[in-house]
Amino acid sequence: MPKSPKRCEELRIEMRNKIIHESIRYFAKNGFSGTKISDLAKHIGIGQGTLYVYFESKEMLFQEIYKIINREEDIEQLKILTFLPLSAKDKIHKLSKRVLRQLEEDESFAAVVALNTQALLEQDKECSADGTTYQTKLYQYMVKIIEQGQMEGSVVNGNPLKLADYYWGVVYLYALKKLFTTKYELINSDDLERTLLKLAK
Amino acid sequence: MPKSPKRCEELRIEMRNKIIHESIRYFAKNGFSGTKISDLAKHIGIGQGTLYVYFESKEMLFQEIYKIINREEDIEQLKILTFLPLSAKDKIHKLSKRVLRQLEEDESFAAVVALNTQALLEQDKECSADGTTYQTKLYQYMVKIIEQGQMEGSVVNGNPLKLADYYWGVVYLYALKKLFTTKYELINSDDLERTLLKLAK
DNA sequence: CATTTTTGAATGAATATTTGTTCATTGATA
DNA sequence: TATCAATGAACAAATATTCATTCAAAAATG
């Protein structure tokens, strides 16, 4: 009799995760058309054929990644923060600290941010504005915090959606830095907060 | 008799400029490997073969563009501003206004910024740190202004190079916005300045 | 417990497809 | 009608995908 089906299943899941995990960073760095299957396979350390055992095509692998980077946990956490009984200034501080920590600790967070932002930028082309993407939801909660801050007088004036866009844009910048530069020096949390806050003397 | 050589020369220069001008935005948006010659030609409104009358290869066209986007005028202007007898705060204000106006008025400025920043990000891979690129020079003058501002007390504390990087990073963000979104709403100059300034109450 | 047998994942050379480049022909102009 | 830029079908090179084969694990057998 052959290998136990159970063990086989385990191995499949393990390999599938390995491929996805390694591909996320590779795609984020090189883009879809900049990623050759031969290179990607070499980078993961598997044969080209193996990729096709787990995914129908390059396109499908990419789509699979897009499903995975829609991290509900992140959105949930921001939602909770949004409705906490805190000043907007405190919320922005907490959020900024958290985001920067994640950028530092979580190996693939930078790739997740980069891919999501790129998707948002290119969404304009495809006109698939269903408003339910990762970024779009992050924007919605951010707008709430910004509006609160504007009422409280701690956040600068201006279109809240534009300011939210600016804030997440700066996060995207540092995700790019982390992805591309070898010696990555973490941004200061203050710099990130300053995208929104009126700084008192 | 054929066309006059003079008229021919004129037409050649015209077509060459047209190709370069249209290609800059196309490459900035789609990247090198994301740009197909067939698509690019269609976008410009010429035949595929025509591209090869004017440029040896896709690679060469791309290199040609890289020469062109190293705009000495921009650097010269920043250099002049840097050594003007003004407060750093005023310099930052003038610069921010100027950059945003250029982003709005100059059709290909956004593409120039995007391509230069992408080159800077990827330079890490290739280790060609010759320190004479467009961005690198912009950084150098920016650092001077930031140092002045820190002495004067108007600019936040922190590594000046990192702050310069941050400032140009935000400009890059808005270049991306302009390139990708159809209905582009210009960033407020204040938002850009706030990357550096301590805002007094 | 050594050997055989069976299974399915892994592989990469072979093939299909896509994309870059060439070149013989066309068309516009003076 | 002589010239030369423009063109796109034909060709070459690069890249994605397939599939016949290899390999490693483990159950069955003596």
Side-chain angles (χ1 to χ4, degrees):
Chain A
M1 274 284 150
K3 296 179 198 175
S4 80
K6 187 157 189 173
R7 178 76 186 125
C8 279
E9 181 65 9
E10 271 172 34
L11 284 175
R12 289 199 113 258
I13 289 172
E14 213 167 283
M15 176 64 95
R16 197 184 148 87
N17 285 340
K18 179 179 174 183
I19 291 174
I20 285 181
H21 183 255
E22 293 296 329
S23 298
I24 285 180
R25 308 196 87 231
Y26 206 87
F27 275 120
K29 231 175 145 165
N30 303 95
F32 181 76
S33 46
T35 298
K36 295 181 226 172
I37 290 292
S38 54
D39 290 350
L40 177 58
K42 206 174 291 169
H43 172 252
I44 300 176
I46 60 175
Q48 295 189 51
T50 311
L51 272 170
Y52 289 88
V53 174
Y54 289 86
F55 302 93
E56 204 177 298
S57 64
K58 184 182 169 183
E59 181 74 37
M60 283 306 184
L61 168 58
F62 197 62
Q63 278 182 225
E64 203 60 35
I65 284 173
Y66 261 106
K67 280 184 208 155
I68 285 164
I69 62 179
N70 256 273
R71 308 215 288 195
E72 289 296 334
E73 327 94 74
D74 292 348
I75 296 158
E76 193 52 33
Q77 280 212 321
L78 179 57
K79 182 179 177 182
I80 290 168
L81 180 67
T82 303
F83 297 111
L84 238 44
L86 289 172
S87 71
K89 193 170 175 178
D90 283 348
K91 290 180 188 174
I92 291 167
H93 182 68
K94 270 186 188 295
L95 176 64
S96 302
K97 283 276 188 197
R98 185 191 295 163
V99 166
L100 292 178
R101 180 157 24 83
Q102 229 170 336
L103 215 44
E104 206 176 18
E105 290 171 5
D106 182 345
E107 184 63 20
S108 49
F109 186 68
V112 168
V113 170
L115 285 170
N116 274 306
T117 308
Q118 281 153 22
L120 191 69
L121 277 173
E122 299 200 1
Q123 130 183 340
D124 210 55
K125 291 180 187 169
E126 298 145 26
C127 66
S128 69
D130 64 347
T132 55
T133 60
Y134 179 79
Q135 287 281 333
T136 318
K137 286 184 206 156
L138 289 187
Y139 277 38
Q140 284 168 2
Y141 292 114
M142 205 64 211
V143 162
K144 283 195 193 301
I145 295 176
I146 288 168
E147 283 170 345
Q148 182 193 345
Q150 287 177 334
M151 292 225 277
E152 291 170 0
S154 58
V155 166
V156 296
N157 291 323
N159 180 341
L161 189 58
K162 217 165 120 184
L163 285 169
D165 189 35
Y166 180 31
Y167 182 87
W168 289 120
V170 172
V171 174
Y172 170 57
L173 274 183
Y174 281 86
L176 287 182
K177 279 266 173 255
K178 170 118 195 212
L179 278 176
F180 282 95
T181 65
T182 44
K183 191 144 184 58
Y184 166 74
E185 204 185 339
L186 193 68
I187 184 183
N188 202 309
S189 170
D190 292 342
D191 293 334
L192 179 53
E193 292 171 38
R194 205 166 52 248
T195 55
L196 301 177
L197 295 182
K198 291 185 196 168
L199 293 188
K201 177 71 190 305
Chain B
M1 272 293 144
K3 295 179 195 173
S4 80
K6 186 156 188 172
R7 178 78 185 121
C8 278
E9 181 65 10
E10 273 172 30
L11 285 174
R12 290 201 110 254
I13 288 173
E14 214 168 283
M15 175 63 96
R16 195 184 149 88
N17 284 340
K18 179 179 174 183
I19 291 174
I20 284 181
H21 182 256
E22 293 296 330
S23 298
I24 284 180
R25 307 196 88 231
Y26 205 88
F27 274 120
K29 233 175 144 164
N30 304 93
F32 181 76
S33 46
T35 298
K36 296 180 226 175
I37 289 293
S38 54
D39 290 350
L40 177 58
K42 205 174 292 170
H43 173 251
I44 300 176
I46 59 175
Q48 295 188 49
T50 312
L51 272 169
Y52 289 88
V53 175
Y54 290 85
F55 301 93
E56 205 178 294
S57 65
K58 183 183 171 184
E59 181 73 37
M60 284 304 184
L61 168 58
F62 198 63
Q63 278 182 225
E64 203 60 35
I65 284 173
Y66 259 105
K67 280 184 208 156
I68 286 164
I69 62 178
N70 255 272
R71 308 215 288 195
E72 288 297 332
E73 327 94 75
D74 292 348
I75 296 158
E76 192 53 32
Q77 280 212 321
L78 179 57
K79 182 179 177 181
I80 290 168
L81 180 67
T82 303
F83 296 112
L84 238 44
L86 291 171
S87 71
K89 193 171 176 177
D90 284 347
K91 289 179 188 175
I92 290 168
H93 182 68
K94 270 185 189 296
L95 176 63
S96 302
K97 283 275 188 199
R98 183 191 295 162
V99 166
L100 293 178
R101 179 156 26 81
Q102 229 170 336
L103 215 44
E104 206 175 16
E105 290 171 5
D106 181 345
E107 183 63 19
S108 50
F109 185 69
V112 169
V113 170
L115 284 169
N116 273 306
T117 308
Q118 279 154 22
L120 191 69
L121 276 173
E122 299 199 2
Q123 128 183 342
D124 211 55
K125 290 180 187 168
E126 297 147 27
C127 68
S128 68
D130 64 348
T132 55
T133 61
Y134 179 80
Q135 287 282 334
T136 318
K137 285 185 205 157
L138 289 188
Y139 277 39
Q140 283 166 4
Y141 291 114
M142 205 63 211
V143 162
K144 281 194 195 303
I145 294 176
I146 287 167
E147 282 170 344
Q148 183 194 343
Q150 287 177 333
M151 291 225 278
E152 290 170 2
S154 57
V155 167
V156 295
N157 291 323
N159 180 342
L161 188 58
K162 218 164 116 183
L163 286 169
D165 189 34
Y166 180 32
Y167 182 87
W168 290 120
V170 172
V171 174
Y172 170 56
L173 272 184
Y174 282 87
L176 287 183
K177 279 265 173 254
K178 171 121 195 210
L179 278 176
F180 282 94
T181 66
T182 44
K183 191 142 183 59
Y184 167 74
E185 204 186 339
L186 194 67
I187 184 182
N188 202 308
S189 169
D190 291 341
D191 292 334
L192 179 52
E193 292 171 38
R194 205 165 51 248
T195 55
L196 301 177
L197 294 182
K198 289 184 195 170
L199 294 188
K201 178 70 186 306

